């Protein structure tokens, strides 16, 4: 049985931990509000650019020589995996890392080698422990998402695809549905999906290009990559803060329950000691009579 001093010390320790988790909960809640506001501003932009690219894709047939729509035998694939730089955010990192690993491993079994771009130290450590090929490690964007970071990654994967270093490009991130619902997404960025020669209907998607479709797409696709990556980064940041907020809130409640249980144990033990002392005093008094 622990002594009163040991119980009191543990109560003090758990109370201090509760203060820390409460503070972290408040910080995460504040960051979540800011990130959610930014996501609300970004979502319409990258939704519109995705819709535009879908219309453009529908108007690209196989006989058009579009560099970013070139279908070739897939031997190498690049995967941009978005995780956080810090822990204490529940199952956020574990869920997206496991989803990414399962997909990459499945592609490996088909003979496709991976080239992983790990955004966030947690994902980097996860794949490094499992012996996967990490070609680029990015730290910091999960805490301070900026379009510059997305632009750098977009330029990197575009050059890798055009040079033939990779034959496909994917981005794996966590999509924000609500504070309690975060869904791992795997999205194929390159090559662009094209309409088959039989299904291609230029009349259904009449678009004019200046100066020509190939030149237009050489400029439009990098912009599409940058905005899509930035949108995924923003989604992931919101999911990270939401997961950390709920995790710290749960930790704070658990700490309160532990303190309540320890306080009850402390009071019972102290009452037992007091009762024993009174009994000894009464017994001694009776013995003297």
């Amino acid at each position: 049985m622990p002594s009163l001093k040991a119980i009191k010390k543990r109560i003090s320790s758990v109370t201090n931990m509760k203060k820390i988790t409460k503070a972290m909960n408040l910080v995460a809640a504040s960051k979540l509000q800011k990130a959610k506001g930014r996501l609300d501003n970004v979502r319409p932009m990258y939704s519109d650019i995705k819709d535009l690219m879908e219309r453009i894709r529908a108007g690209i047939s196989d006989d058009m020589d579009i560099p970013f729509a070139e279908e070739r035998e897939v031997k190498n694939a690049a995967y941009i995996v978005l995780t956080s730089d810090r822990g204490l955010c529940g199952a956020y990192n574990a869920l997206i890392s496991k989803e990414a690993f399962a997909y990459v491993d499945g592609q490996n079994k088909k003979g496709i080698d991976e080239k992983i771009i790990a955004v966030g130290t947690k994902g980097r450590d996860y794949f490094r422990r499992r012996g996967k090929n990490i070609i680029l490690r990015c730290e910091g964007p999960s805490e301070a998402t900026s379009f510059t970071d997305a632009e750098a990654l977009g330029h990197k994967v575009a050059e890798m695809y055009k040079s033939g270093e990779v034959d496909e490009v994917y981005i794996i991130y966590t999509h924000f549905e609500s504070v309690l619902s975060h869904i791992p997404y795997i999205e194929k960025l390159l090559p662009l999906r094209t309409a088959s020669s039989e299904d291609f209907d230029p009349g259904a998607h009449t678009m004019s290009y200046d100066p020509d479709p190939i030149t237009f797409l050489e400029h439009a696709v990098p912009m599409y990559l940058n905005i899509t990556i930035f949108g995924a980064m923003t989604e992931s940041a919101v999911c990270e803060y939401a997961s950390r907020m709920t995790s710290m809130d749960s930790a704070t409640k658990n700490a309160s329950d532990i303190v309540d249980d320890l306080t009850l144990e402390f009071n019972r033990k102290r009452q037992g000691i007091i009762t024993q002392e009174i009994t000894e005093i009464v017994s001694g008094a009776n013995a003297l009579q």
Side-chain angles (χ1 to χ4, degrees):
M1 289 289 290
S3 64
L4 285 177
K5 184 177 181 180
I7 296 175
K8 194 172 183 179
K9 186 176 181 181
R10 192 178 176 195
I11 290 174
S12 177
S13 176
V14 175
T15 301
N16 290 335
M17 184 62 68
K18 177 184 172 182
K19 292 178 182 177
I20 294 173
T21 57
K22 180 63 176 178
M24 293 181 68
N25 170 260
L26 294 174
V27 171
S30 175
K31 289 185 176 182
L32 173 62
Q33 291 302 317
K34 293 179 182 178
K36 182 67 169 57
R38 180 166 55 183
L39 177 61
D40 291 339
N41 293 328
V42 170
R43 264 184 175 170
M45 177 178 65
Y46 80 83
S47 294
D48 288 345
I49 195 72
K50 282 184 177 181
D51 291 341
L52 176 62
M53 289 307 299
E54 286 297 326
R55 293 175 57 198
I56 293 173
R57 285 170 176 172
I60 300 175
S61 63
D62 292 335
D63 57 355
M64 292 184 180
D65 186 18
I66 308 295
F68 289 108
E70 179 186 354
E71 293 285 351
R72 52 202 185 206
E73 182 183 0
V74 181
K75 296 181 179 179
N76 298 282
Y79 304 93
I80 304 172
V81 184
L82 306 182
T83 59
S84 71
D85 290 320
R86 298 187 298 137
L88 298 177
C89 49
Y92 166 73
N93 289 305
L95 286 176
I96 190 64
S97 296
K98 288 179 180 178
E99 186 79 13
F101 180 80
Y103 188 82
V104 172
D105 203 44
Q107 294 291 84
N108 288 159
K109 292 176 182 177
K110 297 178 182 179
I112 302 173
D113 294 330
E114 80 279 352
K115 294 182 183 292
I116 296 173
I117 299 175
V119 181
T121 58
K122 295 299 179 180
R124 178 202 67 189
D125 294 342
Y126 186 92
F127 284 101
R128 184 175 59 187
R129 287 194 298 268
R130 286 156 180 79
K132 293 300 182 181
N133 180 28
I134 302 174
I135 62 169
L136 182 64
R137 297 172 294 180
C138 303
E139 300 177 14
S142 70
E143 284 293 316
T145 304
S146 70
F147 188 77
T148 303
D149 299 315
E151 194 173 29
L153 283 178
H155 178 74
K156 173 71 176 176
V157 295
E159 289 300 317
M160 290 172 66
Y161 182 81
K162 287 196 295 184
S163 67
E165 185 179 347
V166 297
D167 306 303
E168 288 181 337
V169 178
Y170 294 85
I171 186 165
I172 305 174
Y173 66 100
T174 310
H175 181 77
F176 180 78
E177 293 287 337
S178 67
V179 173
L180 298 177
S181 178
H182 319 136
I183 303 173
Y185 266 29
I186 300 174
E187 186 173 344
K188 186 177 181 179
L189 299 180
L190 293 174
L192 298 178
R193 186 177 66 255
T194 59
S196 64
S197 300
E198 296 79 12
D199 298 332
F200 176 62
D201 183 6
H205 300 278
T206 303
M207 298 187 71
S208 59
Y209 300 92
D210 186 18
D212 57 77
I214 295 177
T215 305
F216 173 81
L217 287 172
E218 284 181 350
H219 290 82
V221 173
M223 182 183 297
Y224 157 72
L225 291 175
N226 297 344
I227 293 176
T228 302
I229 293 172
F230 179 63
M233 283 182 167
T234 308
E235 294 266 6
S236 294
V238 175
C239 291
E240 178 187 347
Y241 295 138
S243 185
R244 181 170 290 114
M245 183 188 73
T246 54
S247 178
M248 292 300 100
D249 182 60
S250 178
T252 302
K253 291 178 180 177
N254 290 340
S256 295
D257 292 341
I258 292 173
V259 169
D260 291 342
D261 291 342
L262 289 172
T263 302
L264 182 60
E265 182 182 355
F266 178 86
N267 290 336
R268 283 176 175 173
K269 191 173 183 62
R270 185 177 62 176
Q271 184 65 40
I273 292 173
I274 293 172
T275 302
Q276 182 180 358
E277 290 177 349
I278 293 173
T279 302
E280 290 175 352
I281 292 172
V282 172
S283 299
N286 293 335
L288 292 176
Q289 290 178 358

